[in-house]
Amino acid sequence: MIYDSYFGFDNLCNEIINIDNSINLVAVLNNKGRVIETKVREAIDTYYNPLKKEMFFMQCVLQTSMNKDHDDELGKITSYILEREKFTMFSFEFLSYVILVVSRSKNNTIQLKEVIIEKINKHKKIEIV
């Protein structure tokens, strides 16, 4: 089932990127790692060539998919945070999509994650009703 245009991912991406100036990229990825919608403050192309960028997105979706293997025993994952030296990456499931948020590393990652989840949940309620 295709939800791309129905859910107005462009609005959601705009809301998320405007939460904080540390957020560099917001991307909605399909189950194959392809970008459905993206908003960029600082181009990821600065760090990756197009092939590496595509592989990066596919890796994020694959990680989300692999995490589902343990849902029955451990419960569903609501979010995933990966902290690197230069960036913090947040991953959220939205139906069959993955919402990826990349920000410059900060001390309050949990607080930022909670605000992003609020935006996603608000968007879900608006679009599903």
Side-chain angles (χ1 to χ4, degrees):
M1 194 176 272
I2 303 295
Y3 299 99
D4 303 351
S5 60
Y6 177 78
F7 281 110
F9 287 127
D10 57 332
N11 293 333
L12 178 59
C13 289
N14 280 330
E15 286 183 31
I16 292 172
I17 204 162
N18 288 325
I19 290 172
D20 193 290
N21 287 334
S22 69
I23 297 174
N24 293 333
L25 174 130
V26 179
V28 178
L29 310 172
N30 70 12
N31 62 357
K32 305 240 187 285
R34 303 281 186 234
V35 176
I36 301 301
E37 183 66 46
T38 187
K39 297 296 177 193
V40 179
R41 181 170 285 125
E42 182 179 321
I44 198 166
D45 296 337
T46 305
Y47 305 99
Y48 285 134
N49 63 43
L51 179 60
K52 276 194 120 176
K53 181 170 59 172
E54 184 177 346
M55 289 173 55
F56 171 70
F57 289 144
M58 288 181 357
Q59 175 190 347
C60 293
V61 170
L62 179 61
Q63 182 66 49
T64 299
S65 177
M66 290 172 58
N67 286 334
K68 288 180 183 182
D69 291 344
H70 305 285
D71 283 358
D72 290 340
E73 297 83 12
L74 305 173
K76 286 187 159 197
I77 293 178
T78 58
S79 63
Y80 181 76
I81 300 173
L82 176 65
E83 294 183 277
R84 293 186 173 268
E85 290 176 356
K86 296 180 182 180
F87 295 99
T88 300
M89 292 174 272
F90 303 85
S91 178
F92 308 90
E93 286 188 50
F94 185 100
L95 301 172
S96 62
Y97 300 94
V98 173
I99 299 172
L100 177 69
V101 179
V102 178
S103 75
R104 290 185 302 279
S105 293
K106 296 180 63 157
N107 291 335
N108 58 355
T109 56
I110 300 300
Q111 181 183 4
L112 181 56
K113 177 197 73 140
E114 293 300 323
V115 175
I116 294 168
I117 287 174
E118 284 178 25
K119 296 287 185 190
I120 292 170
N121 287 339
K122 178 182 144 201
H123 191 76
K124 279 182 186 176
K125 289 177 187 173
I126 289 171
E127 296 297 342
I128 292 176
V129 170

